[in-house]
Amino acid sequence: MSESNVVGQWVPATGAGDIVTGAARYCPDIDLPGLLTGKLLYSPHARARIRKLDVSAARQIPGVFAVLTQADIPGENNYLYSQADQPLLAIDEVRFQGDAVAAVAALDEATADAALRAIQVEYEVLDGIFDPLVAMKAGADQLVEGEDNIIMNQVYRTGEVEAALASADVIVENTYRTQWAEHAFLETEGGVALVDEEGVVTVYSSCQAPHRDRMQIARTLAMPESMVRVITPYIGGAFGGKDEAHVQMHAALLAVAAGRPVRLIRGRRESILTHVKRHPIIIHCITAATREGRLLAVKARAIADAGPYHNATHEVMNKFGEFIGGPYSVQNLEVETIAVRTNNPIGGAFRGFGAPQAAFVYESQMDDLARKLEIDPLELRLLNGVETGTKMYTGVVVREGQAMKASLRKAAEKIGWEKRDQCERQPAPHLRRGWGMATILKGSGMGRGLGDHAGVVLEMHRDGSVVLLSGAADMGQGIITILAQMAADRLGVPMSSVRAVRADTSRTPDAGSSCASRQCMVSGNAVLAAANSIRDSLLSVAAGKTKISRDRLDLRDGRLQVDSEPHALTIEELARRALFWGYPLHAESKYHFEYPADVPAGDYRFSQEVFQFCTQIAQVLVDVETGQVTVERLIAVHDAGKMINPGGVYGQIEGGCAQGIGYALTEELIVNEGRTLNPSLENYVIPMALDIPEMEMDVLEIPEPVGAPLGAKGIAESPIIPTAPAIRNAILDAIGKPLYQLPMSAERVLTALDG
Amino acid sequence: MSESNVVGQWVPATGAGDIVTGAARYCPDIDLPGLLTGKLLYSPHARARIRKLDVSAARQIPGVFAVLTQADIPGENNYLYSQADQPLLAIDEVRFQGDAVAAVAALDEATADAALRAIQVEYEVLDGIFDPLVAMKAGADQLVEGEDNIIMNQVYRTGEVEAALASADVIVENTYRTQWAEHAFLETEGGVALVDEEGVVTVYSSCQAPHRDRMQIARTLAMPESMVRVITPYIGGAFGGKDEAHVQMHAALLAVAAGRPVRLIRGRRESILTHVKRHPIIIHCITAATREGRLLAVKARAIADAGPYHNATHEVMNKFGEFIGGPYSVQNLEVETIAVRTNNPIGGAFRGFGAPQAAFVYESQMDDLARKLEIDPLELRLLNGVETGTKMYTGVVVREGQAMKASLRKAAEKIGWEKRDQCERQPAPHLRRGWGMATILKGSGMGRGLGDHAGVVLEMHRDGSVVLLSGAADMGQGIITILAQMAADRLGVPMSSVRAVRADTSRTPDAGSSCASRQCMVSGNAVLAAANSIRDSLLSVAAGKTKISRDRLDLRDGRLQVDSEPHALTIEELARRALFWGYPLHAESKYHFEYPADVPAGDYRFSQEVFQFCTQIAQVLVDVETGQVTVERLIAVHDAGKMINPGGVYGQIEGGCAQGIGYALTEELIVNEGRTLNPSLENYVIPMALDIPEMEMDVLEIPEPVGAPLGAKGIAESPIIPTAPAIRNAILDAIGKPLYQLPMSAERVLTALDG
């Protein structure tokens, strides 16, 4: 087969034109006849008992169509990420600033606000639980009566950790702290719900998992899933923050109660105050090595502040433990992962899912170790790096690991690592320049022992045009674009012939959540299988018509190819004949990622098997008078398997690095007694265009052998992971002082300089 | 497996409640923001050349958003049933009263009417061609210059017809005439079109073939099919009259041109004047037999008035030829089928598709023969009737033919045929009573050598609820109800768990047209295949969970059954587990009806292979003073294979008989020089409730062995077919005079009495 003219090409993302011109319709843009405005009333307290909740006055206000409390929810009153402990509307107690107590739908925003003001709530304010280290102590005040505040305490051990520590030549031992971080997606959470003529509750949802949304909405409405439809309009980013359902649930409840369509969009302040954050974690880590730098053991203990409800805490901390060893061969490892309930913001899913915190620890440890041993950090990493065939401490054997060292070497080559002594380290009296690297691995997919599947439907029409129906939510990451590319490639039609429909549970099969860098693999494989089945139909017709054997036939550029030469028969003609004769041009496939059905005893549970490797090197300039850190250069070398749409891959890297710079230097939600003090993008500082250096990116295309369609694999999460430790190590290189807390604000840099 | 508690049960049609309460939304009920009214300007002449067409004044009228002529159509300007010879908007000539010359879209009906009036057309009126017998003569004026007026002249011969005629003991030779008949569906043709945000042209279409509509709309818009979506809202009947596309095409053109949604609904008068009719045919038929009544030969020549365009004429006349021998073993047969172009109304598809005209001929011939031979008409029919294994003159071997004689015997038993002499034949001096029977066969499916396939998608959700996606248009015949029954049956869930979605090409796979009594078979088989695949998933999970072997497991009443006893595991639980583990609960299947790929040489082309048999017996009372015929009793015994929804089967029989009574006695479009003189339901007289006797119905359930899901087969067409000849034979029995022309109006009865 000749080289593809679709796959591997820079292709504009599906809908890019509409996004750029403003024609694309996001949830806030959806207008419907009779549309009501939905709003939620939140608790003003981090912890309080609800003594009285009276909505009768609110219900009397003209223009108010529905006022709901927990008593008005027909079905289950909770979210359901892993455990159903977070109510949609508080029952008898509020446990953090994001707990809603009532929902209203009214003719307009002013009337909705009036309704919120008319709701009378009497709270008995309780002492909050805000420090996880206090909360986890025996005898501490219980956040949920009768339940331990420690909601997770998992210890995983492999090898002989204590013996390895005892025999080590050198030990590095530090305590790290990470912050609450905000997704800061362009579009806040929102949903628009209506009941259609058939009684189907139809919800436009800014989400990552439309089919799981459907399930949750049905569950809370006490309706069958067949009577609920979730459509994803354009979505302005998610980064894990829309993996769990949010206000689309309330919109659905309100629309059913009001008998009119309801649009409920969180404002920015509301969004920051209420939705999930990246977990703050306190990590104590001991790394032991021989004097040659060979890693002997890692021992870590991590305590996460979960906030009041489970949400994704268990899963995130599980991934933290899976990656705390880094992309290194570590045979003796112990990791204790603890999560504690507090009345602080809830921790949840966020790009990287525990891996950014882990990478900040293990890559800082590596540079501290390199300094202690006086070994080049690059050499130390190359010495210990995993390779194809390395058995990880999790029990997983790396099937394709070349990219670990290749990305290190490529990044070093790009910046000229061997000449780093020639770098001008003090360009001005108050400025110090430094270089720092970080290399990481991150898995793709749900993980072993978990169902990881996606369905897709492809239909070719009589005229050769194609519709691709995938339930994979496209939040801007471009999944439907690359799925369309794969379909176009296999069917021999131009990209313009493939229309990829945005996820709509009434039309598109379940593809699971767009999370865990998984959609490229699972939905990609499903697309290839479906396309191959249509391809079979077309080639059967072609073989029958031309009497030429199948192995000489191919499809490309809208035509049949015979021995790689264009033939007179077009795809359109083949499609027309195929349909007449009943060869299927409508194919559905369901791909199931192949993990071992039972995880071997002693292996880390739920560990991933396909890895993204990457290395980033930062050059920073530290102002030793102000503590200000400027990232001057950022080299990012990432492994993407085979790139389907290079524009999408480079976009993911660029965006991840920008997000990583913010995570490293400026982004931090300041929470005092459960109250976020900076709930705006004026005070929660994300990098602006000028804060981001020209990116020096490179992509390694080392095809993944298993489970990766055309060799491609996910790239969504890895870009954010090494940025913070690379910057941290560059600061260390610049000022000679290590930092152990994120973000590395000017204040903390000054403190380090003072210390 | 225990007996089904869903299949075979009387089930209310899906949506019946909404239909009864008026909540169901038909095309005329669809309202959208900015909706425009579409209208068409028709030719006032049956035949004329367009000298000038000036729409400029119409375009200037405020509130007029689009005025289209043939010059404004971006793609193909034609319909496409079999040949693309009928323009959507006339090009340089108008050829019948239904030819449109311009289309307008305006703010409201009055403005649209004003626009129509402002369009200036100069016609050069031409002499019309109205008599097919004249038009078919050599040298006749050509309707289309350079083309013969005879558009079909097909002779099919089997056996030794002339020799058989020469050797016959008795010959019956007559000439029959049938009329233009009107579908008189409750809802006239209509469509509502809009362009959605993604640029997809979305058309609500009152149609029988949504996927073919999509193709045709795409073709005329010069857009890919992937950018066209056809949705069927509720549809108020079709009977073949909405098989070919109609004004939904113009609605789509107008919506694209106007940039606003357009609703175009034909008024009743407009509908009668413009859309296809049942063909009027002049048939000369010779039937030869031995003196014992054994049929020796049939020789027929049929001349159909096609109107000016092909439409379904070729296919209808093909079926006429296929059925002119009736349900009898006739080994020597010649049938010549001729169709002639005229400037009269167009002939097209109508329930029975040529078979009602054929049955009027062959069943009248049988009674004339019986009288000549003085044989009981029942005996004559039993003597010659086909059986399982009979090779028809078409070459087709009857796979299951018991119902031919069984229906005759059952009908005779119900009326008490053996005691017919005891019937009071002259209850008053001016009244004559008579009994007449007719027995017929009608095939189901597209016919041999034609693609005959249907796709379906079934999805079971986590909670056991099911969505059924079929592209089969439900025009009121209830197809989606029986498909849902089949799905519920196979999946062991109650009917209330299955939501069948109305056809929508963006969601539902192509099921072909709802015509030819085919959907029960093709879509039914597709549903069973899809349901079996989901059933497999559920039973695999159940077997894994219970460790009980698969052959002891079944699904019923929402639960697993073990050895036919309910088990604790519910379908919901099985579904939840199946989804988690990636067992598919979303199944697509495509069923392809198995005809021989190549029709054997000498066989009748495109003949059907699965037959509906039925017998009807009418008791009539003829007023010999007025000629008025009253149908006092109508016995109808029909073969349905296995009934899926008995209510639907009985409904089809009842409706078909009512339509057949109208066809027999009162319904006739009077056309003078191409102009229909009675374009209203006041003058075109369909039977009212009081004209229809209490029906005496019976259904034989003789399972069809091949290609029939659960043994079921189509029942849509056969009920109308025997009614007219049964009534004709009853009139003959009553007054002793044969009639040879439909309808058998009071005037014609009086003429027969005088003759």
Side-chain angles (χ1 to χ4, degrees):
Chain A
M1 212 183 325
S2 46
E3 205 196 324
S4 172
N5 54 352
V6 185
V7 160
Q9 303 302 309
W10 288 68
V11 162
T14 301
D18 283 345
I19 294 171
V20 170
T21 60
R25 215 168 57 146
Y26 295 78
C27 271
D29 303 317
I30 293 170
D31 201 0
L32 294 163
L35 186 69
L36 303 178
T37 297
K39 288 223 165 191
L40 297 175
L41 181 68
Y42 294 97
S43 164
H45 309 293
R47 191 181 185 201
R49 200 161 288 133
I50 300 171
R51 284 267 186 223
K52 189 184 140 194
L53 173 55
D54 183 355
V55 298
S56 53
R59 285 186 172 141
Q60 298 310 315
I61 296 175
V64 172
F65 279 71
V67 181
L68 305 180
T69 71
Q70 54 88 19
D72 306 306
I73 296 180
E76 297 289 326
N77 176 20
N78 44 54
Y79 295 98
L80 183 62
Y81 193 98
S82 58
Q83 296 201 31
D85 63 345
Q86 182 178 0
L88 298 169
L89 293 174
I91 299 167
D92 48 11
E93 198 172 318
V94 288
R95 294 186 169 132
F96 87 120
Q97 64 190 359
D99 269 335
V101 296
V104 305
L107 275 182
D108 51 35
E109 196 164 344
T111 311
D113 283 332
L116 293 188
R117 284 192 301 271
I119 295 171
Q120 292 170 29
V121 199
E122 271 181 41
Y123 292 102
E124 177 191 349
V125 180
L126 303 175
D127 288 338
I129 299 170
F130 304 118
D131 184 342
L133 299 180
V134 173
M136 67 190 282
K137 283 186 182 149
D141 182 18
Q142 291 173 333
L143 191 135
V144 179
E145 208 178 300
E147 293 185 18
D148 201 330
N149 291 331
I150 298 177
I151 58 172
M152 175 185 193
N153 191 348
Q154 177 177 292
V155 181
Y156 177 76
R157 274 187 208 95
T158 190
E160 301 296 333
V161 177
E162 296 307 329
L165 292 180
S167 71
D169 295 322
V170 59
I171 280 187
V172 174
E173 180 170 1
N174 293 302
T175 297
Y176 297 81
R177 283 165 198 272
T178 71
Q179 77 276 43
W180 279 289
E182 170 69 22
H183 303 82
F185 23 60
L186 277 170
E187 181 204 1
T188 55
E189 312 93 286
V192 181
L194 64 140
V195 182
D196 79 7
E197 301 104 35
E198 292 181 74
V200 175
V201 179
T202 301
V203 184
Y204 294 85
S205 176
S206 183
C207 70
Q208 294 176 239
H211 281 78
R212 201 174 55 216
D213 272 20
R214 178 178 70 180
M215 180 266 283
Q216 295 207 39
I217 291 166
R219 208 171 149 268
T220 194
L221 293 173
M223 290 176 73
E225 287 188 39
S226 58
M227 295 301 287
V228 176
R229 173 184 185 187
V230 174
I231 302 171
T232 62
Y234 281 85
I235 299 173
F239 309 116
K242 297 173 184 171
D243 192 15
E244 169 60 304
H246 44 77
V247 295
Q248 68 278 68
M249 308 276 285
H250 302 88
L253 286 163
L254 286 168
V256 170
R260 291 194 36 186
V262 173
R263 182 171 63 201
L264 207 173
I265 311 289
R266 276 197 176 132
R268 179 64 67 183
R269 180 171 184 278
E270 182 184 358
S271 168
I272 295 179
L273 290 177
T274 62
H275 89 275
V276 298
K277 311 297 163 208
R278 192 185 294 289
H279 290 81
I281 314 181
I282 302 165
I283 309 107
H284 180 254
C285 187
I286 307 171
T287 304
T290 64
R291 69 175 53 85
E292 296 77 26
R294 179 79 59 192
L295 289 177
L296 289 175
V298 170
K299 182 174 178 179
R301 184 173 193 244
I303 300 164
D305 185 340
Y309 305 113
H310 277 80
N311 204 284
T313 292
H314 210 282
E315 293 78 5
V316 166
M317 291 308 293
N318 215 304
K319 286 290 153 213
F320 175 92
E322 181 178 341
F323 293 118
I324 190 63
Y328 304 110
S329 177
V330 181
Q331 298 312 312
N332 304 296
L333 183 139
E334 178 182 308
V335 55
E336 182 176 11
T337 38
I338 299 167
V340 186
R341 275 204 193 107
T342 68
N343 297 111
N344 290 323
I346 328 182
F350 192 164
R351 195 176 196 174
F353 216 75
Q357 296 101 318
F360 179 61
V361 173
Y362 65 74
E363 285 300 87
S364 297
Q365 290 285 93
M366 286 304 272
D367 264 39
D368 282 13
L369 185 63
R371 285 181 89 84
K372 209 158 181 175
L373 290 168
E374 294 179 354
I375 298 179
D376 180 345
L378 172 64
E379 293 310 317
L380 183 68
R381 286 175 170 85
L382 288 170
L383 179 68
N384 290 288
V386 300
E387 295 176 338
T388 301
T390 299
K391 184 167 184 181
M392 311 279 291
Y393 65 91
T394 55
V396 171
V397 175
V398 177
R399 289 193 282 206
E400 173 50 70
Q402 295 175 66
M404 191 275 163
K405 293 183 183 174
S407 71
L408 270 170
R409 292 196 175 103
K410 185 75 183 178
E413 177 196 323
K414 282 181 87 79
I415 201 165
W417 186 264
E418 77 285 359
K419 298 182 196 158
R420 67 189 171 120
D421 295 339
Q422 298 167 23
C423 156
E424 190 184 13
R425 302 188 67 87
Q426 190 169 346
H430 65 297
L431 296 177
R432 303 291 180 276
R433 181 172 281 132
W435 287 5
M437 64 168 48
T439 188
I440 64 103
L441 94 173
K442 171 70 182 68
S444 298
M446 300 302 287
R448 305 164 80 163
L450 296 172
D452 197 355
H453 29 81
V456 82
V457 168
L458 265 186
E459 183 175 12
M460 179 175 276
H461 307 107
R462 237 169 295 254
D463 58 5
S465 64
V466 176
V467 166
L468 189 159
L469 300 176
S470 159
D474 195 324
M475 305 87 66
Q477 84 278 36
I479 180 64
I480 63 173
T481 309
I482 64 166
L483 297 181
Q485 284 180 280
M486 293 187 198
D489 180 65
R490 298 307 298 150
L491 297 173
V493 297
M495 261 301 270
S496 58
S497 290
V498 182
R499 194 164 75 80
V501 169
R502 300 191 64 81
D504 170 353
T505 62
S506 81
R507 302 161 66 185
T508 57
D510 193 355
S513 182
S514 289
C515 70
S517 306
R518 62 185 286 277
Q519 288 292 11
C520 167
M521 296 195 312
V522 286
S523 287
N525 277 310
V527 165
L528 291 186
N532 281 338
S533 130
I534 295 177
R535 183 181 168 84
D536 272 354
S537 291
L538 298 174
L539 288 178
S540 296
V541 170
K545 175 82 183 151
T546 61
K547 314 287 181 204
I548 298 171
S549 76
R550 278 282 290 270
D551 55 1
R552 294 174 53 200
L553 304 180
D554 194 6
L555 304 172
R556 192 187 158 94
D557 296 333
R559 296 203 162 270
L560 179 68
Q561 309 280 316
V562 179
D563 301 330
S564 302
E565 292 296 322
H567 182 273
L569 272 174
T570 61
I571 304 275
E572 181 174 351
E573 176 72 9
L574 294 175
R576 206 179 51 72
R577 288 173 183 272
L579 281 173
F580 185 78
W581 289 110
Y583 286 94
L585 294 188
H586 183 106
E588 185 196 335
S589 77
K590 176 119 184 157
Y591 177 78
H592 193 169
F593 194 85
E594 286 178 38
Y595 293 102
D598 294 306
V599 180
D603 274 17
Y604 197 82
R605 293 270 292 167
F606 311 127
S607 49
Q608 293 162 322
E609 293 217 328
V610 171
F611 299 108
Q612 312 157 46
F613 293 97
C614 63
T615 299
Q616 291 179 11
I617 300 179
Q619 173 181 310
V620 302
L621 199 61
V622 182
D623 183 324
V624 295
E625 289 175 1
T626 64
Q628 188 84 31
V629 176
T630 305
V631 180
E632 292 186 311
R633 294 176 69 185
L634 192 58
I635 285 85
V637 179
H638 283 253
D639 166 35
K642 164 76 185 165
M643 287 193 282
I644 304 300
N645 183 10
V649 172
Y650 283 99
Q652 286 280 20
I653 297 171
E654 198 162 20
C657 288
Q659 221 168 15
I661 291 171
Y663 188 56
L665 297 178
T666 56
E667 296 187 28
E668 180 172 25
L669 292 167
I670 311 295
V671 179
N672 181 42
E673 301 218 321
R675 197 77 203 157
T676 301
L677 303 181
N678 55 341
S680 86
L681 295 182
E682 285 165 16
N683 301 319
Y684 181 88
V685 184
I686 63 173
M688 311 289 272
L690 294 179
D691 300 320
I692 300 162
E694 190 75 22
M695 302 294 307
E696 297 166 65
M697 296 180 280
D698 218 327
V699 175
L700 304 174
E701 291 192 89
I702 302 170
E704 185 68 28
V706 179
L710 310 175
K713 56 189 176 188
I715 182 76
E717 292 171 291
S718 57
I720 196 184
I721 301 173
T723 318
I727 292 171
R728 183 265 184 193
N729 290 338
I731 296 170
L732 170 60
D733 185 48
I735 64 173
K737 303 283 184 182
L739 278 85
Y740 298 103
Q741 184 165 3
L742 286 177
M744 296 169 290
S745 59
E747 192 181 1
R748 290 196 181 114
V749 170
L750 287 181
T751 306
L753 283 163
D754 288 347
Chain B
M1 215 183 320
S2 45
E3 205 197 322
S4 174
N5 54 352
V6 185
V7 160
Q9 303 304 308
W10 288 68
V11 163
T14 301
D18 283 346
I19 293 171
V20 170
T21 60
R25 216 168 56 146
Y26 296 80
C27 271
D29 303 317
I30 292 170
D31 201 1
L32 293 164
L35 186 69
L36 303 178
T37 296
K39 287 222 165 193
L40 296 175
L41 182 67
Y42 294 98
S43 164
H45 309 294
R47 190 180 185 201
R49 200 161 290 133
I50 300 172
R51 286 266 186 225
K52 188 183 140 194
L53 174 56
D54 183 355
V55 298
S56 53
R59 285 186 172 141
Q60 297 310 313
I61 297 174
V64 172
F65 279 72
V67 181
L68 305 181
T69 72
Q70 54 89 18
D72 305 307
I73 295 180
E76 297 289 326
N77 177 18
N78 43 54
Y79 294 99
L80 182 62
Y81 193 95
S82 58
Q83 295 201 31
D85 63 344
Q86 181 178 0
L88 297 169
L89 293 175
I91 298 168
D92 47 12
E93 199 171 316
V94 287
R95 295 188 168 129
F96 86 121
Q97 65 190 359
D99 269 335
V101 297
V104 305
L107 274 182
D108 51 34
E109 195 162 347
T111 311
D113 282 332
L116 293 187
R117 284 192 302 270
I119 295 171
Q120 293 170 28
V121 200
E122 272 181 40
Y123 292 102
E124 175 190 353
V125 179
L126 303 175
D127 288 338
I129 299 169
F130 304 118
D131 184 343
L133 299 179
V134 173
M136 66 190 285
K137 284 187 181 147
D141 181 17
Q142 291 173 334
L143 190 137
V144 178
E145 209 179 299
E147 294 186 18
D148 201 330
N149 291 332
I150 297 177
I151 58 170
M152 174 184 193
N153 191 350
Q154 177 178 293
V155 181
Y156 176 76
R157 273 188 208 93
T158 189
E160 300 295 333
V161 177
E162 297 306 329
L165 291 180
S167 72
D169 296 319
V170 59
I171 277 187
V172 174
E173 180 169 3
N174 293 301
T175 297
Y176 296 82
R177 286 166 195 271
T178 70
Q179 76 276 44
W180 279 289
E182 169 68 22
H183 303 81
F185 24 59
L186 276 170
E187 182 204 359
T188 56
E189 312 93 287
V192 181
L194 64 140
V195 183
D196 79 6
E197 302 103 37
E198 293 180 73
V200 175
V201 179
T202 301
V203 184
Y204 293 85
S205 175
S206 182
C207 69
Q208 294 176 238
H211 282 79
R212 200 172 60 217
D213 272 21
R214 178 178 69 183
M215 180 266 283
Q216 295 206 40
I217 292 166
R219 207 170 148 269
T220 195
L221 293 173
M223 289 175 74
E225 287 188 40
S226 57
M227 295 301 287
V228 176
R229 174 184 184 185
V230 174
I231 302 171
T232 62
Y234 280 86
I235 299 172
F239 308 117
K242 298 174 184 170
D243 192 15
E244 169 60 304
H246 45 76
V247 296
Q248 70 276 70
M249 309 275 286
H250 303 87
L253 286 163
L254 287 167
V256 169
R260 294 198 29 188
V262 172
R263 181 171 64 202
L264 206 173
I265 311 289
R266 276 195 176 133
R268 178 65 66 185
R269 180 172 185 279
E270 181 184 359
S271 168
I272 295 179
L273 290 176
T274 61
H275 89 276
V276 298
K277 310 297 162 209
R278 193 186 293 289
H279 289 82
I281 315 182
I282 303 166
I283 309 108
H284 180 252
C285 186
I286 307 172
T287 304
T290 65
R291 70 175 53 86
E292 295 78 25
R294 180 78 59 190
L295 289 177
L296 289 175
V298 170
K299 183 174 179 178
R301 183 173 194 245
I303 300 165
D305 185 339
Y309 305 112
H310 276 80
N311 202 284
T313 291
H314 209 281
E315 293 78 6
V316 166
M317 292 308 293
N318 214 304
K319 285 291 152 210
F320 176 92
E322 180 179 341
F323 293 117
I324 189 62
Y328 305 111
S329 176
V330 182
Q331 298 311 312
N332 305 295
L333 184 140
E334 178 182 308
V335 54
E336 182 177 10
T337 38
I338 298 168
V340 186
R341 276 205 192 105
T342 68
N343 297 111
N344 291 323
I346 329 180
F350 192 164
R351 196 177 195 174
F353 214 76
Q357 295 101 317
F360 179 61
V361 173
Y362 66 73
E363 284 300 89
S364 297
Q365 291 285 93
M366 286 303 272
D367 264 38
D368 283 12
L369 186 62
R371 286 180 90 84
K372 208 158 183 175
L373 290 168
E374 296 180 352
I375 297 179
D376 179 346
L378 172 63
E379 293 308 317
L380 183 68
R381 287 176 169 86
L382 288 170
L383 180 69
N384 290 287
V386 301
E387 295 175 337
T388 300
T390 300
K391 184 167 184 180
M392 312 277 293
Y393 65 91
T394 56
V396 172
V397 175
V398 176
R399 292 192 281 205
E400 173 50 69
Q402 295 175 67
M404 192 276 164
K405 295 184 183 174
S407 72
L408 270 170
R409 292 197 176 104
K410 186 74 181 180
E413 177 196 323
K414 280 181 87 78
I415 201 165
W417 186 263
E418 77 285 1
K419 297 180 196 157
R420 65 190 174 121
D421 295 339
Q422 298 168 22
C423 156
E424 188 185 13
R425 301 188 68 86
Q426 190 168 345
H430 64 298
L431 296 178
R432 302 291 179 277
R433 181 171 282 132
W435 286 6
M437 63 168 47
T439 188
I440 63 106
L441 94 173
K442 171 70 181 67
S444 297
M446 300 302 287
R448 303 163 80 162
L450 295 171
D452 197 354
H453 28 83
V456 82
V457 168
L458 265 187
E459 182 175 12
M460 180 176 276
H461 307 107
R462 235 169 295 252
D463 58 7
S465 63
V466 175
V467 166
L468 189 159
L469 301 175
S470 159
D474 195 324
M475 305 88 66
Q477 85 278 35
I479 180 64
I480 62 173
T481 309
I482 65 166
L483 297 181
Q485 283 179 280
M486 293 187 198
D489 180 64
R490 298 308 296 149
L491 296 172
V493 297
M495 261 301 270
S496 58
S497 289
V498 183
R499 193 164 74 82
V501 170
R502 300 191 64 82
D504 170 353
T505 62
S506 81
R507 302 162 65 186
T508 58
D510 193 355
S513 181
S514 289
C515 70
S517 307
R518 63 186 285 278
Q519 287 292 11
C520 167
M521 294 196 312
V522 287
S523 288
N525 277 309
V527 165
L528 292 186
N532 282 338
S533 130
I534 295 176
R535 185 182 165 83
D536 272 354
S537 292
L538 298 175
L539 289 178
S540 296
V541 170
K545 175 81 183 153
T546 61
K547 314 290 182 204
I548 299 172
S549 76
R550 278 283 288 271
D551 54 2
R552 295 174 52 201
L553 304 180
D554 193 6
L555 304 172
R556 191 186 159 94
D557 297 332
R559 296 202 161 270
L560 179 67
Q561 308 280 316
V562 179
D563 301 330
S564 302
E565 291 297 321
H567 182 273
L569 273 173
T570 61
I571 304 274
E572 179 175 352
E573 177 71 8
L574 294 175
R576 206 179 52 71
R577 288 172 183 273
L579 282 172
F580 185 79
W581 289 110
Y583 287 92
L585 294 188
H586 184 107
E588 185 196 335
S589 77
K590 177 120 185 159
Y591 177 77
H592 193 170
F593 194 84
E594 284 177 41
Y595 293 103
D598 294 308
V599 180
D603 274 17
Y604 196 83
R605 295 267 295 165
F606 312 129
S607 49
Q608 293 162 320
E609 295 218 326
V610 172
F611 299 109
Q612 310 157 48
F613 293 97
C614 63
T615 298
Q616 290 179 12
I617 301 180
Q619 173 181 311
V620 303
L621 197 61
V622 181
D623 184 324
V624 296
E625 290 174 359
T626 64
Q628 188 82 32
V629 177
T630 305
V631 180
E632 292 186 312
R633 294 176 69 185
L634 192 59
I635 285 85
V637 179
H638 283 252
D639 165 36
K642 165 74 186 166
M643 287 193 281
I644 305 299
N645 184 10
V649 172
Y650 284 99
Q652 286 281 18
I653 297 171
E654 198 162 22
C657 288
Q659 220 168 15
I661 290 171
Y663 188 56
L665 297 178
T666 57
E667 297 187 26
E668 180 171 25
L669 291 167
I670 312 293
V671 179
N672 180 45
E673 301 218 321
R675 197 78 201 155
T676 301
L677 303 181
N678 54 340
S680 85
L681 295 183
E682 284 166 15
N683 303 318
Y684 181 88
V685 183
I686 62 173
M688 311 291 271
L690 294 178
D691 300 319
I692 300 162
E694 190 74 22
M695 302 291 308
E696 296 166 65
M697 298 181 279
D698 219 327
V699 175
L700 305 175
E701 291 193 86
I702 301 170
E704 185 68 26
V706 178
L710 309 174
K713 56 189 177 187
I715 182 74
E717 291 171 292
S718 56
I720 195 182
I721 301 174
T723 317
I727 292 171
R728 183 265 184 193
N729 291 339
I731 296 171
L732 170 59
D733 186 48
I735 65 173
K737 304 283 184 182
L739 278 87
Y740 298 102
Q741 183 165 4
L742 286 177
M744 296 170 290
S745 58
E747 192 179 1
R748 291 195 181 115
V749 170
L750 287 180
T751 305
L753 283 164
D754 288 349

